[in-house]
Amino acid sequence: KQEVTQIPAALSVPEGENLVLNCSFTDSAIYNLQWFRQDPGKGLTSLLLIQSSQREQTSGRLNASLDKSSGRSTLYIAASQPGDSATYLCAVNERNTGNQFYFGTGTSLTVIP
Amino acid sequence: NAGVTQTPKFQVLKTGQSMTLQCAQDMNHNSMYWYRQDPGMGLRLIYYSASEGTTDKGEVPNGYNVSRLNKREFSLRLESAAPSQTSVYFCASSTNLGEQFFGPGTRLTVL
């Protein structure tokens, strides 16, 4: 069974710092990988989707990379802001198991003003 | 365009009571999902539906039933609630490329 790990579980940085969040997965036969943001008490908001044939995707200050062979993805956040404080989740999709997603437990990010 | 909507937002049940969680999406997606989110365990798939008229079990289906009423609606039913089903429940739908979109969640407490 696919296992998705996100380390660290929590991260605190000063405003303006660039930072990297990590996601690792055990089975490289994935269809795609998606990064989400979750604010306390809210649902998940899609940030970036990377197809298995892609190496990276960018949206504004966010850049996500994918290395299938090593089972890793990173989410790079440039010039962090207090409004970036949230939990960030990654999920891998194994199409061959019926379009199921496997989620990590997330990294809780706090950006200190 | 409301995206994915869920009702109710909050619910308290007594052990043994039943209830149905409602979910609807207006993005014309074929696939829909029900997850539960528990502290320290991440999101776990309960059931999913790849298309109207089909449903399949996910990782934790015991104690739940689902109905894919039409392309828009996918409901989750608890027939006899147990305290172990206290959780936050999320409905999601996905595009044909597998990008998922989530509803705001239902916070369920079973006493």
Side-chain angles (χ1 to χ4, degrees):
Chain A
K1 180 194 162 191
Q2 179 78 259
E3 292 187 7
V4 181
T5 303
Q6 293 184 250
I7 296 173
L11 181 63
S12 185
V13 300
E15 181 177 1
E17 192 164 293
N18 302 326
L19 60 101
V20 174
L21 305 180
N22 297 297
C23 173
S24 61
F25 46 95
T26 54
D27 188 340
S28 62
I30 65 170
Y31 183 72
N32 61 37
L33 184 145
Q34 192 169 358
W35 282 94
F36 296 89
R37 168 189 175 131
Q38 185 175 28
D39 293 288
K42 304 292 185 183
L44 281 69
T45 300
S46 177
L47 296 174
L48 289 164
L49 175 74
I50 310 177
Q51 300 294 341
S52 62
S53 58
Q54 297 174 319
R55 296 284 294 180
E56 64 179 325
Q57 281 283 357
T58 298
S59 176
R61 294 183 295 109
L62 305 179
N63 176 277
S65 67
L66 175 64
D67 184 343
K68 273 181 50 178
S69 61
S70 65
R72 292 174 184 266
S73 177
T74 61
L75 179 67
Y76 175 83
I77 302 177
S80 58
Q81 303 170 357
D84 295 330
S85 298
T87 296
Y88 291 81
L89 297 153
C90 69
V92 299
N93 180 13
E94 291 185 342
R95 193 72 154 206
N96 63 349
T97 60
N99 208 29
Q100 294 189 30
F101 278 72
Y102 296 90
F103 283 80
T105 52
T107 294
S108 177
L109 173 66
T110 301
V111 180
I112 303 166
Chain B
N1 194 344
V4 180
T5 57
Q6 294 183 236
T7 56
K9 287 186 168 50
F10 301 93
Q11 184 71 50
V12 178
L13 294 177
K14 295 180 180 178
T15 297
Q17 288 185 318
S18 63
M19 78 162 295
T20 299
L21 281 64
Q22 306 286 353
C23 174
Q25 52 94 9
D26 62 2
M27 295 175 283
N28 202 36
H29 292 162
N30 288 316
S31 298
M32 297 185 72
Y33 312 80
W34 276 105
Y35 292 91
R36 60 178 289 173
Q37 186 177 38
D38 301 291
M41 300 199 69
L43 278 89
R44 292 180 293 169
L45 183 67
I46 304 171
Y47 271 93
Y48 67 98
S49 170
S51 61
E52 183 179 352
T54 68
T55 61
D56 285 287
K57 295 178 181 179
E59 183 183 356
V60 289
N62 291 344
Y64 305 95
N65 286 301
V66 291
S67 295
R68 184 72 183 269
L69 305 169
N70 48 55
K71 191 170 187 178
R72 290 187 64 248
E73 298 172 292
F74 189 35
S75 62
L76 178 72
R77 182 161 178 84
L78 287 70
E79 292 290 353
S80 179
S84 61
Q85 294 177 305
T86 293
S87 188
V88 182
Y89 292 85
F90 289 103
C91 177
S93 66
S94 69
T95 68
N96 290 336
L97 290 179
E99 184 173 12
Q100 289 202 321
F101 296 88
F102 280 76
T106 294
R107 282 144 188 84
L108 175 66
T109 301
V110 183
L111 302 175

